[in-house]
Amino acid sequence: SAVISQKPSRDICQRGTSLTIQCQVDSQVTMMFWYRQQPGQSLTLIATANQGSEATYESGFVIDKFPISRPNLTFSTLTVSNMSPEDSSIYLCSVVKSGELFFGEGSRLTVL
Amino acid sequence: AQSVTQLGSHVSVSEGALVLLRCNYSSSVPPYLFWYVQYPNQGLQLLLKYTTGATLVKGINGFEAEFKKSETSFHLTKPSAHMSDAAEYFCAVTHDLGGGATNKLIFGTGTLLAVQP
């Protein structure tokens, strides 16, 4: 299994600011995935992060808005830049381990 | 391209009644199918998954699902609902579990299950 810790678990932010979410895994993994869950909606993949290379973004998501770092095989960060109320969501980190996907508990962001 | 459709955004059952949450998928390659549960203010928890082999899959908390290729379905069932089953349930599909970049899950829009006493 994989244990994933995310920080912060929740935060309230002001419009125009940026927030960085951290994801720590208890074991080394090749790929880490960042998802967004907007209120009342399903999960949408933002990007895939591979250690040592730039993240791969899904359609509708860009690096300037959601820069991602992946400095090693157990850690990643997602920054939500220049936030607006539309960015209010739960952001989840996910990894694959032994053929199963594991999720962190999510970071719930509210943008005022 | 893959997609998942969950029929019914809200389902309400009585305690002790059968739970049936519907999921249909679209995939051009053999799919791997998942059901996740999300309790209020918590992260996603895997209920069960289908990869290969037996098409009837048993998961945690008494849930099971059957992969029906001819119907492109993976409906989730539980014979007798419990109050603690109240949560949101997500069906998801992928076609690669090898740890590569194609491991991304495609999620359905979720079904909120309410259990009435």
Side-chain angles (χ1 to χ4, degrees):
Chain A
S1 69
V3 177
I4 303 173
S5 303
Q6 281 188 237
K7 292 181 181 179
S9 58
R10 59 179 63 231
D11 206 341
I12 299 173
C13 306
Q14 296 299 317
R15 183 195 299 260
T17 63
S18 298
L19 182 77
T20 295
I21 302 167
Q22 299 179 2
C23 178
Q24 179 75 51
V25 189
D26 68 343
S27 56
Q28 293 184 343
V29 293
T30 304
M31 293 286 181
M32 296 178 78
F33 305 88
W34 286 98
Y35 285 84
R36 180 176 73 180
Q37 185 180 18
Q38 293 179 298
Q41 299 188 28
S42 186
L43 288 83
T44 303
L45 182 66
I46 297 172
T48 303
N50 190 11
Q51 194 264 336
S53 63
E54 280 199 3
T56 302
Y57 289 83
E58 297 299 304
S59 176
F61 297 96
V62 295
I63 188 171
D64 289 346
K65 177 67 175 177
F66 298 101
I68 289 171
S69 78
R70 184 77 201 277
N72 58 54
L73 292 174
T74 63
F75 187 78
S76 179
T77 67
L78 169 76
T79 298
V80 186
S81 303
N82 188 24
M83 287 185 284
S84 66
E86 292 72 32
D87 295 319
S88 296
S89 296
I90 301 172
Y91 294 85
L92 296 109
C93 174
S94 171
V95 304
V96 173
K97 188 79 174 180
S98 302
E100 182 174 331
L101 276 78
F102 295 88
F103 286 85
E105 293 196 347
S107 298
R108 184 183 296 269
L109 301 188
T110 302
V111 185
L112 304 178
Chain B
Q2 296 175 309
S3 66
V4 174
T5 302
Q6 289 184 242
L7 293 176
S9 59
H10 291 79
V11 171
S12 181
V13 300
S14 299
E15 191 172 19
L18 172 71
V19 175
L20 171 60
L21 305 182
R22 299 178 185 275
C23 173
N24 288 87
Y25 70 91
S26 172
S27 178
S28 58
V29 297
Y32 299 117
L33 295 157
F34 303 79
W35 276 100
Y36 284 87
V37 61
Q38 186 177 35
Y39 297 102
N41 298 315
Q42 295 188 26
L44 289 168
Q45 181 181 5
L46 180 66
L47 269 180
L48 50 80
K49 63 180 178 181
Y50 168 78
T51 53
T52 58
T55 56
L56 181 62
V57 180
K58 295 186 184 298
I60 61 172
N61 301 338
F63 284 93
E64 62 183 36
E66 187 170 10
F67 170 59
K68 292 187 176 180
K69 184 178 180 180
S70 61
E71 299 178 7
T72 62
S73 69
F74 191 58
H75 302 328
L76 182 71
T77 60
K78 182 175 181 177
S80 177
H82 192 273
M83 297 295 289
S84 61
D85 295 326
E88 187 152 25
Y89 293 80
F90 293 95
C91 183
V93 64
T94 186
H95 68 270
D96 184 354
L97 292 176
T102 51
N103 282 152
K104 59 185 182 182
L105 281 176
I106 307 299
F107 283 86
T109 52
T111 298
L112 188 63
L113 176 66
V115 182
Q116 308 298 328

